[in-house]
Amino acid sequence: MTGSIISEEYQQPIYQTGGEHHHDEEANSMFGFIVFLLSESIIFLSFFVGYIVYKTTVPDWLPPGVSGLEVREPAINTVVLVTSSFVIYLAEQELARNNLNKFRLFLVLTMLMGSYFLIGQGIEWSNLEFGFTSGIYGGMFYLLTGFHGLHVFTGILLQGIMLTRSFTPGNYDKGHFGINATSLFWHFVDIIWIVLFALIYLWQ
């Protein structure tokens, strides 16, 4: 009887410790990912500050023959990209409900919207009257939009990985860190673009 009580007393804490360890590991992973996003934010912030300083101090800011940028198409791309943040949020919610079919549907839709944005940006680049070497403005424009575009492309790749893993039986039974981190990254990309759109296209 005494041996049974001792066994029960020591078995229960061992089980709880295992659960807490899994929870702490996922929390630590998310904390590390947030630190990564903060470091990326600092890089973008330095670019933003540089853009503002140059725009307010360089006499001939725009390249010769360029009066400004077309806003209509970039605005449409912006709406599509920002809306995709809500779509990937829906994907997260469906995964939490263990509805994999709807999760995949919303994730694919997010990837398509991100791809639409990249294609739209590529078309815009091909029609511009200035290049990367067209003064400070040209360099800053392509640096900012290109670096952000690289992040959009990375986000699409991450979503593709999450989509592929959803076809592995029981993959998401272990936790949802992957999709949560991917979704957070996508929200970050969208917020950065809103700032970029305001700086580059609205403040001309």
Side-chain angles (χ1 to χ4, degrees):
M1 182 66 178
T2 302
S4 175
I5 294 175
I6 293 175
S7 176
E8 291 177 0
E9 288 177 350
Y10 281 91
Q11 286 176 358
Q12 184 65 21
I14 291 174
Y15 174 78
Q16 290 179 347
T17 301
E20 291 175 358
H21 175 73
H22 175 75
H23 175 75
D24 290 344
E25 183 178 350
E26 189 163 317
N28 289 338
S29 297
M30 182 58 72
F31 176 76
F33 190 74
I34 292 174
V35 171
F36 163 73
L37 291 183
L38 289 176
S39 66
E40 291 292 291
S41 300
I42 293 174
I43 296 175
F44 274 107
L45 180 61
S46 65
F47 288 160
F48 295 159
V49 172
Y51 183 89
I52 294 171
V53 169
Y54 282 128
K55 180 176 175 58
T56 55
T57 58
V58 175
D60 298 322
W61 173 238
L62 295 174
V66 177
S67 58
L69 294 169
E70 172 64 38
V71 178
R72 182 178 176 275
E73 293 302 326
I76 294 175
N77 289 339
T78 299
V79 172
V80 171
L81 188 64
V82 172
T83 303
S84 69
S85 263
F86 296 97
V87 179
I88 199 171
Y89 169 76
L90 294 176
E92 278 188 285
Q93 296 303 305
E94 293 301 334
L95 181 61
R97 300 186 186 100
N98 202 31
N99 191 335
L100 288 180
N101 287 331
K102 286 188 177 180
F103 165 71
R104 293 166 184 151
L105 174 64
F106 285 125
L107 200 58
V108 168
L109 183 56
T110 306
M111 294 172 65
L112 290 175
M113 296 172 81
S115 300
Y116 177 91
F117 175 85
L118 286 181
I119 293 173
Q121 190 172 66
I123 294 174
E124 180 192 12
W125 280 13
S126 65
N127 293 326
L128 291 175
E129 299 177 350
F130 59 90
F132 184 79
T133 58
S134 301
I136 298 177
Y137 177 81
M140 291 298 297
F141 173 85
Y142 282 98
L143 175 64
L144 286 169
T145 57
F147 192 54
H148 175 267
L150 178 62
H151 281 71
V152 174
F153 181 72
T154 301
I156 295 173
L157 288 181
L158 291 175
Q159 292 165 31
I161 293 173
M162 295 302 105
L163 178 65
T164 303
R165 287 183 175 178
S166 72
F167 291 97
T168 301
N171 177 76
Y172 287 113
D173 293 343
K174 305 171 185 177
H176 297 168
F177 166 73
I179 185 60
N180 291 337
T182 299
S183 179
L184 184 60
F185 181 82
W186 197 248
H187 297 322
F188 166 78
V189 167
D190 285 359
I191 292 173
I192 291 296
W193 177 253
I194 292 174
V195 178
L196 277 178
F197 181 76
L199 283 177
I200 296 177
Y201 295 93
L202 299 183
W203 186 33
Q204 296 193 53

